[in-house]
């Protein structure tokens, strides 16, 4: 039986849940306030983190607390600070297991007050967290006042020193120089900052962006993507994600699960492609074309008249269409993702 060889991951994140205070137009994992607060259990998290640590360990050059977007373990979501108690417990578990580099990613919605912000960050640091990644971009800015972002960065630097990553620094500098306060709709941001600023957005045309920001991209017909395969993305070992249902996701491919991350060692022995027919198609030559044929023949998929911004847009639109009709494909998970995309 054919197997997909899945390499051991070298870095990645744990989604505490898909729930977020924001519903950013660019969110790759379709997070939203509408998502259920199905937080990962401590038992599942312990099992997943143990497996991730065993996998990551061979990639660490030395014991180090160096931070990097594609290095070590991060806690993410959804917005992890919506459940601070859980976040704190998970940091303690990760520290006990021995991850040398950990950070939490946040949109800073919770940073309303200096004292509370510092207390929470100090608690996390004392529990063993190494740093923070503060998200700054025009999409989050629709939901989170910039003052909160500034507070998180300033107090974060006091607590974690250099281990505060600002992603993306361009927008941090730009929002400061524009003396922006409060929130701003995306339309008003473009009006104020100029459309040329959008060149600096590291925008991956996947997930919700395909639908919400499609007007920013040139669209092409399905035919333009049919010769593409996703073998590289689906077997990419860096920056993998595990969601609160323990779905193991690679390549930023929200909604595609390579299996149960509590059994990551088994996944990394190869997954039987007969059990994952959609992954089998996507990882083969002309994979997108095969999925298109399958979607049309078996599920009466109709191509979008306006075309697609990327192969991921076509892939997602087909998967969404299939999930609306059947739950038979174990790789099309989580339901939460498809419900909110
Ligand atoms: S991009 Fe981040 S802040 Fe925005 S909806 Fe997704 S998880 Fe929430
Ligand atoms: S086309 Fe689908 S499988 Fe391929 S990289 Fe995009 S989302 Fe992932």
């Amino acid at each position: 039986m054919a197997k997909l060889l899945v390499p051991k991951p070298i870095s990645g994140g744990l989604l505490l849940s898909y729930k977020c205070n924001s519903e950013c137009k660019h969110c790759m994992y379709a997070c939203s306030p509408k998502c259920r607060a199905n937080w990962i259990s401590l038992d599942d998290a312990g099992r997943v983190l143990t497996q991730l640590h065993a996998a990551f360990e061979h990639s660490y050059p030395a014991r180090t607390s160096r931070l990097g977007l594609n290095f070590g373990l991060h806690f993410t979501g959804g917005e992890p600070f919506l459940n601070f108690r859980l976040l704190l417990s998970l940091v303690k578990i990760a520290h006990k297991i021995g991850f040398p580099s950990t950070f939490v990613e946040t949109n800073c919605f919770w940073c309303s007050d200096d004292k509370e912000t510092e207390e929470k960050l100090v608690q996390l640091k004392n529990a063993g967290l190494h740093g923070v990644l503060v998200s700054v971009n025009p999409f989050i800015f629709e939901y989170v006042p910039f003052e909160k972002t500034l507070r998180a960065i300033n107090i974060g630097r006091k607590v974690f020193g250099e281990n505060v990553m600002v992603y993306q620094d361009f927008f941090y500098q730009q929002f400061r120089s524009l003396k922006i306060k409060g929130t701003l709709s995306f339309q008003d941001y473009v009006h104020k900052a100029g459309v040329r600023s959008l060149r600096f957005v590291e925008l991956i045309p996947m997930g919700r962006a395909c639908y919400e920001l499609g007007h920013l991209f040139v669209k092409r017909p399905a035919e333009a993507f049919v010769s593409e395969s996703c073998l590289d993305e689906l077997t990419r070992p860096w920056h993998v994600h595990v969601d609160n249902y323990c779905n193991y996701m690679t390549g930023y491919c929200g909604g595609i699960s390579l299996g149960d991350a509590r059994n990551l060692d088994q996944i990394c022995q190869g997954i039987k492609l007969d059990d994952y027919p959609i992954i089998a198609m996507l990882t083969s030559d002309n994979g997108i074309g095969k999925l298109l044929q399958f979607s049309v023949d078996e599920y009466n998929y109709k191509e979008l008249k306006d075309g697609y911004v990327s192969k991921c847009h076509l892939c997602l639109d087909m998967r969404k269409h299939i999930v609306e009709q059947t739950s038979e494909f174990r790789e099309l998970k989580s339901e939460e993702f498809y419900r909110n995309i």
Side-chain angles (χ1 to χ4, degrees), residues 130-294:
H130 298 105
V132 183
L133 183 145
V134 174
S135 303
V136 192
N137 60 61
F139 311 112
I140 282 179
F141 190 30
E142 293 199 283
Y143 297 92
V144 179
F146 187 52
E147 302 87 281
K148 294 190 176 188
T149 308
L150 286 174
R151 179 174 291 118
I153 294 170
N154 293 336
I155 298 177
R157 285 182 175 152
K158 190 171 152 195
V159 176
F160 287 104
E162 288 183 348
N163 278 354
V164 175
M165 293 181 282
V166 177
Y167 185 75
Q168 297 178 251
D169 190 61
F170 170 84
F171 294 107
Y172 169 56
Q173 303 297 349
Q174 185 191 55
F175 295 173
R176 281 174 68 198
S177 68
L178 291 173
K179 300 198 186 321
I180 279 172
K181 285 203 166 58
T183 55
L184 205 59
S185 72
F186 182 61
Q187 207 178 0
D188 287 347
Y189 164 76
V190 174
H191 185 69
K192 196 172 176 90
V195 73
R196 289 164 70 89
S197 295
L198 297 180
R199 287 180 305 161
F200 298 96
V201 185
E202 290 183 18
L203 184 58
I204 306 176
M206 304 176 90
R208 192 178 282 139
C210 302
Y211 300 100
E212 294 291 330
L213 298 169
H215 57 287
L216 300 178
F217 297 89
V218 173
K219 290 188 178 147
R220 292 183 285 165
E223 179 63 26
F225 306 104
V226 292
S227 62
E228 305 224 25
S229 159
C230 298
L231 179 62
D232 288 350
E233 292 93 335
L234 289 169
T235 56
R236 200 184 75 185
W238 52 270
H239 213 119
V240 303
H241 286 103
V242 176
D243 73 10
N244 48 311
Y245 306 104
C246 302
N247 292 307
Y248 182 65
M249 300 178 284
T250 48
Y252 299 140
C253 302
I256 301 183
S257 173
L258 272 62
D260 186 329
R262 288 170 294 193
N263 305 317
L264 182 60
D265 48 355
Q266 286 173 25
I267 296 175
C268 295
Q269 285 166 22
I271 60 170
K272 292 177 189 158
L273 286 172
D274 279 358
D275 295 337
Y276 296 87
I278 292 189
I279 292 180
M281 289 177 227
L282 286 169
T283 52
S284 63
D285 289 345
N286 307 315
I288 296 288
K290 285 178 184 147
L291 182 56
L292 178 60
Q293 192 69 54
F294 177 76

Side-chain angles (χ1 to χ4, degrees), residues 20 22-24 26-27 31 77-78 107 140:
C20 191
S22 310
E23 191 173 285
C24 300
H26 72 315
C27 188
C31 300
N107 65 30
I140 282 179

